[in-house]
Amino acid sequence: MGEWQFETTVTAQRKDERGHWIALQETHFYAEGGGQPADAGTIADETVQDVQQVDDVVWHLLERPLEVGTAATAQVDEASRHDHSIQHTAQHVLTAVLEDRYGIETLSFGIGPEESSLEIGTNAFDWSSVESLERDVQHLIFENRPITVHTLLDGEIDRARLRKPTDRTGMIRIVEIEGLDYNACGGTHVVSTGQLGTVHVTSVKKVRGNVRLTYVAGARALRAVQSSRDALRQVHQTLSTTNETVAARVVEERNARIEREKEVKALEARVAKAKVAAFLQEDNYVITHIGKTEGETLTTMIIERIAATGRIAVGANHTAQKLILMHDGTHDIAIGKFLKRTLDDLGIGRGGGSHKQAQARFESVLDLEKATAEVVKRLQEGVVSC
Ligand SMILES: [Zn+2]
């Protein structure tokens, strides 16, 4: 029994759309506030989903109600509290360093489940500033400065040293990081800066004319670095690169891909031209092109070119299991309605279109072939009365 596990009694309960809230005779759960999330844990084996303080009462949110008077064992999740204390204390250090050494004010902050964030009053903070900030913070961590909590009467506070003025009265909780910070704060903290391990900035974004930094500290920072290394290691393995060469190599690969795409497009246009030239040797009213291995864009390109010569073009693309019909608008056939009716008669595929072009998709190449044959047969027989 102690701070993490304790015996207590339910003193009040109420219900709202989020669930059942209970108050306890004694609680060690931290209620959400000051940018720090609520503690996790259990009360009588029920999971505590949220903790909120309203006036002087701390309310614990549970899925099921506990009757007033119930004696219960409560358990605060020590690991998640410790993590929150680390992220929260890191915020104190970041805010103090940013203000004292860079002259930048912290406007707002919050601890998230993955990352925490800090909105700072500047529009000029880039990655080189981040590196310098991280070095300054790491130096304070190496120095392992003690962090102490003083509960003082408002008259006993050294107001000149306060980072932010407070209008609280009565007993005030002051958190002091030796030689760095003196702040009225109700959050939870680690006992020395060394316990932060490291503070790692994960992103820098411009918002509302300010800058929003996200960061991770402690075990979260270790996980972030491990995850980045894992991602980079896979890239290195694929591209045979090193940290020094990878950025240039990725740009090179991207440029090469853009070049290849241009070449493929040019080749497709040449293939389309050649195929169409061959088709035009035939003097058919309906021309069918079957694309068994080519991409959908090439089939479409060929069909468009055939249609432009005044024929009715039928294109079947096996890779996409797609049928494309097209004419140049001079024919009296509403090709969309024609295709839809043919598919309805066959009971396969889904599609339709406009007066001069239409498309359909099929569940198998067999269905596509069946539909292609029927479409061509009907067009050639002239059994289209649209
Ligand atoms: Zn604090």
Side-chain angles (χ1 to χ4, degrees):
M1 296 296 145
E3 190 189 348
W4 306 114
Q5 192 183 66
F6 54 96
E7 299 292 340
T8 186
T9 310
V10 178
T11 54
Q13 73 140 308
R14 62 183 174 85
K15 186 177 183 284
D16 67 11
E17 69 284 356
R18 291 188 61 201
H20 299 272
W21 296 87
I22 60 158
L24 302 170
Q25 189 139 43
E26 179 200 1
T27 188
H28 295 287
F29 279 90
Y30 179 80
E32 186 191 354
Q36 187 176 331
D39 274 340
T42 55
I43 298 169
D45 293 327
E46 290 287 322
T47 303
V48 176
Q49 296 167 337
D50 193 8
V51 186
Q52 294 290 333
Q53 185 167 347
V54 182
D55 299 323
D56 281 337
V57 184
V58 176
W59 293 96
H60 310 72
L61 178 65
L62 307 177
E63 202 179 321
R64 283 190 299 207
L66 285 178
E67 293 308 312
V68 171
T70 306
T73 303
Q75 179 88 42
V76 176
D77 185 318
E78 194 178 343
S80 97
R81 161 77 75 82
H82 187 58
D83 171 59
H84 292 166
S85 301
I86 287 173
Q87 312 310 320
H88 174 76
T89 309
Q91 182 260 310
H92 274 263
V93 175
L94 285 165
T95 293
V97 171
L98 281 163
E99 191 169 307
D100 298 350
R101 301 188 190 173
Y102 297 80
I104 299 170
E105 194 193 353
T106 295
L107 304 172
S108 65
F109 52 84
I111 298 174
E114 305 292 333
E115 293 177 325
S116 305
S117 65
L118 219 56
E119 191 171 327
I120 56 175
T122 178
N123 56 14
F125 207 81
D126 57 14
W127 282 101
S128 67
S129 318
V130 166
E131 286 181 4
S132 149
L133 170 68
E134 284 175 336
R135 276 195 299 274
D136 288 349
V137 169
Q138 194 63 47
H139 194 71
L140 292 161
I141 292 171
F142 288 144
E143 286 178 343
N144 199 22
R145 298 200 185 187
I147 300 169
T148 42
V149 176
H150 317 278
T151 308
L152 302 172
L153 275 166
D154 50 10
E156 298 171 320
I157 295 171
D158 185 351
R159 292 195 179 264
R161 287 178 66 205
L162 275 181
R163 185 160 296 284
K164 254 191 168 174
T166 177
D167 48 13
R168 285 184 213 174
T169 52
M171 296 305 280
I172 297 177
R173 201 163 169 268
I174 298 290
V175 175
E176 183 175 9
I177 305 176
E178 195 182 87
L180 182 76
D181 200 27
Y182 187 83
N183 214 337
C185 182
T188 67
H189 310 82
V190 292
V191 298
S192 68
T193 56
Q195 294 194 348
L196 299 179
T198 192
V199 177
H200 182 73
V201 173
T202 48
S203 73
V204 181
K205 281 191 192 116
K206 292 205 168 162
V207 280
R208 296 178 286 267
N210 298 311
V211 165
R212 187 168 178 267
L213 298 179
T214 57
Y215 69 91
V216 283
R220 292 192 192 192
L222 179 64
R223 281 198 299 275
V225 169
Q226 286 172 334
S227 140
S228 305
R229 184 183 58 200
D230 192 42
L232 200 50
R233 207 169 43 76
Q234 291 181 46
V235 173
H236 288 338
Q237 214 163 20
T238 309
L239 299 180
S240 304
T241 47
T242 61
N243 282 359
E244 288 67 35
T245 60
V246 69
R249 182 63 194 281
V250 167
V251 172
E252 216 175 88
E253 287 290 326
R254 191 206 50 196
N255 291 345
R257 199 199 63 218
I258 292 169
E259 279 307 305
R260 275 198 300 276
E261 277 167 6
K262 275 191 209 157
E263 282 169 21
V264 166
K265 269 209 175 120
L267 280 171
E268 279 185 343
R270 281 174 60 186
V271 170
K273 205 174 159 189
K275 289 221 173 188
V276 172
F279 281 130
L280 297 185
Q281 302 296 314
E282 311 162 20
D283 193 23
N284 290 336
Y285 164 68
V286 179
I287 289 183
T288 312
H289 165 68
I290 314 281
K292 285 200 171 162
T293 52
E294 70 200 25
E296 198 182 319
T297 51
L298 180 54
T299 305
T300 308
M301 205 185 279
I302 291 168
I303 294 310
E304 279 169 356
R305 281 167 185 253
I306 295 171
T309 68
R311 276 108 165 154
I312 297 179
V314 178
N317 184 280
H318 284 209
T319 354
Q321 287 168 204
K322 202 167 165 184
L323 183 62
I324 307 163
L325 306 185
M326 212 178 283
H327 64 68
D328 63 359
T330 59
H331 294 264
D332 223 9
I333 305 163
I335 211 84
K337 282 184 196 162
F338 161 70
L339 178 61
K340 194 167 184 315
R341 203 179 47 236
T342 309
L343 296 180
D344 285 347
D345 290 347
L346 292 172
I348 51 172
R350 283 165 62 101
S354 66
H355 179 74
K356 55 180 196 171
Q357 56 175 301
Q359 309 190 337
R361 277 192 192 279
F362 299 88
E363 280 174 12
S364 69
V365 171
L366 209 68
D367 281 356
L368 169 64
E369 286 177 326
K370 213 165 132 189
T372 308
E374 183 63 22
V375 160
V376 171
K377 185 170 149 255
R378 289 188 185 195
L379 284 172
Q380 280 169 343
E381 286 172 356
V383 288
V384 281
S385 54
C386 294

